[in-house]
């Protein structure tokens, strides 16, 4: 694949942001809490506001989304002082809440009559699955559900009982490496349990998903 200059610059900017944000978040949560609380509010809200702006830009109902942004801006203006005194809770709710929601995304697909999320992704890449592959992908969906819930529970315990500095190290510097480690461990287990399955990268799954936008995870599975 040819990498154009604009693509290279975009990936460099993304990589720099992924490195800079945790560092800035840790600093604002621990060092600037008493000296520059506005920085803490701004950094803690930045991901949520960035997502809101992106959704506004992509929305077919842009006037309504712009109005929502204006309302959010007014609320932030009115409650800025409260946020300055409690911005660590914004960090915490954003971190723990994200992992709870991700766990729910995986977990609800384990309900009776629904297709487990990892089974759905495996079908995207491999096509029809054997009963052994279906059983394994269901187990992987359960494993991801429990793993994401565990991260949220650890985040909650550290925030409530270990102090903001310890929590910030876990949230900003350890959570994402743990997710990468989970991918590596699952891949190694899959190689042993499904040795005859053709190997595919994570990006193969992402590309397969975007090529079939009509397919929805969790849809009722057909007869096997």
């Amino acid at each position: 694949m040819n990498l154009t200059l604009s693509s290279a610059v975009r990936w460099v900017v993304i990589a720099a942001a992924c490195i800079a944000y945790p560092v800035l978040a840790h600093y604002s949560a621990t060092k600037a809490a008493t000296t520059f609380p506005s920085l803490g509010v701004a950094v803690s809200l930045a991901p949520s506001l960035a997502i809101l702006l992106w959704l506004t830009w992509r929305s077919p109902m842009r006037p309504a989304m712009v109005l929502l942004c204006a309302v959010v801006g007014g609320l932030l203006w009115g409650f800025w002082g409260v946020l300055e005194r409690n911005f660590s809770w914004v960090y915490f709710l954003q971190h723990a809440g994200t992992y709870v929601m991700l766990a729910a995304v995986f977990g609800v697909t384990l309900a009776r009559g629904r297709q487990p999320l990892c089974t759905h992704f495996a079908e995207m890449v491999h096509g029809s699955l054997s009963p052994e592959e279906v059983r394994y992908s269901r187990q992987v969906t359960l494993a991801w559900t429990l793993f994401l819930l565990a991260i949220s529970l650890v985040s909650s315990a550290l925030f409530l009982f270990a102090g903001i500095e310890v929590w910030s190290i876990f949230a900003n510097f350890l959570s994402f490496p743990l997710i990468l480690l989970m991918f590596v461990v699952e891949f190694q287990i899959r190689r042993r349990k499904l040795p005859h399955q053709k190997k595919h990268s994570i990006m193969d799954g992402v590309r397969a998903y975007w090529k079939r936008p009509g397919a929805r995870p969790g849809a009722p599975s057909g007869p096997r």
Side-chain angles (χ1 to χ4, degrees):
M1 181 188 299
N2 293 326
L3 187 65
T4 64
L5 178 59
S6 60
S7 297
V9 171
R10 181 169 64 248
W11 282 110
V12 168
V13 171
I14 291 173
C18 289
I19 294 172
Y21 181 80
V23 174
L24 184 58
H26 179 68
Y27 171 78
S28 64
T30 57
K31 306 299 182 185
T34 56
T35 59
F36 195 10
S38 290
L39 176 64
V41 177
V43 175
S44 64
L45 292 174
S48 300
L49 294 179
I51 293 172
L52 177 61
L53 291 175
W54 181 81
L55 291 174
T56 300
W57 178 258
R58 302 283 295 180
S59 175
M61 300 182 294
R62 191 172 297 176
M65 292 298 294
V66 170
L67 178 61
L68 176 61
C69 289
V71 171
V72 170
L75 290 173
L76 291 178
W77 178 268
F79 289 93
W80 193 261
V82 176
L83 291 172
E84 284 187 333
R85 293 189 295 273
N86 300 279
F87 71 84
S88 60
W89 280 91
V90 179
Y91 276 124
F92 164 66
L93 293 174
Q94 182 174 256
H95 182 261
T98 296
Y99 284 97
V100 168
M101 287 188 291
L102 288 174
V105 168
F106 280 85
V108 295
T109 65
L110 292 168
R112 186 180 181 85
R114 297 174 69 90
Q115 185 183 55
L117 186 59
C118 292
T119 305
H120 176 79
F121 286 141
E123 284 188 346
M124 289 279 195
V125 176
H126 299 285
S128 181
L129 303 178
S130 68
E132 184 183 15
E133 290 172 323
V134 171
R135 184 167 55 253
Y136 175 78
S137 60
R138 181 178 182 84
Q139 293 170 345
V140 172
T141 304
L142 176 60
W144 273 105
T145 302
L146 297 176
F147 172 77
L148 294 166
L149 280 176
I151 287 186
S152 180
L153 289 174
V154 171
S155 177
S156 300
L158 292 177
F159 183 82
L160 294 173
F161 303 112
I164 190 65
E165 290 197 13
V166 175
W167 174 85
S168 181
I169 291 172
F170 174 78
N172 291 307
F173 300 120
L174 297 181
S175 297
F176 186 67
L178 285 173
I179 291 176
L180 295 181
L181 179 61
M182 178 68 172
F183 275 112
V184 171
V185 170
E186 188 278 320
F187 177 74
Q188 295 302 324
I189 294 174
R190 187 174 0 125
R191 288 182 62 185
R192 281 201 258 178
K193 297 195 70 171
L194 303 173
H196 303 297
Q197 186 183 68
K198 185 178 179 181
K199 304 301 183 294
H200 287 274
S201 69
I202 295 171
M203 289 307 300
D204 290 334
V206 173
R207 283 191 288 266
Y209 179 80
W210 286 111
K211 285 180 181 178
R212 295 176 58 190
R216 290 290 178 265
S221 55
R224 299 198 179 276

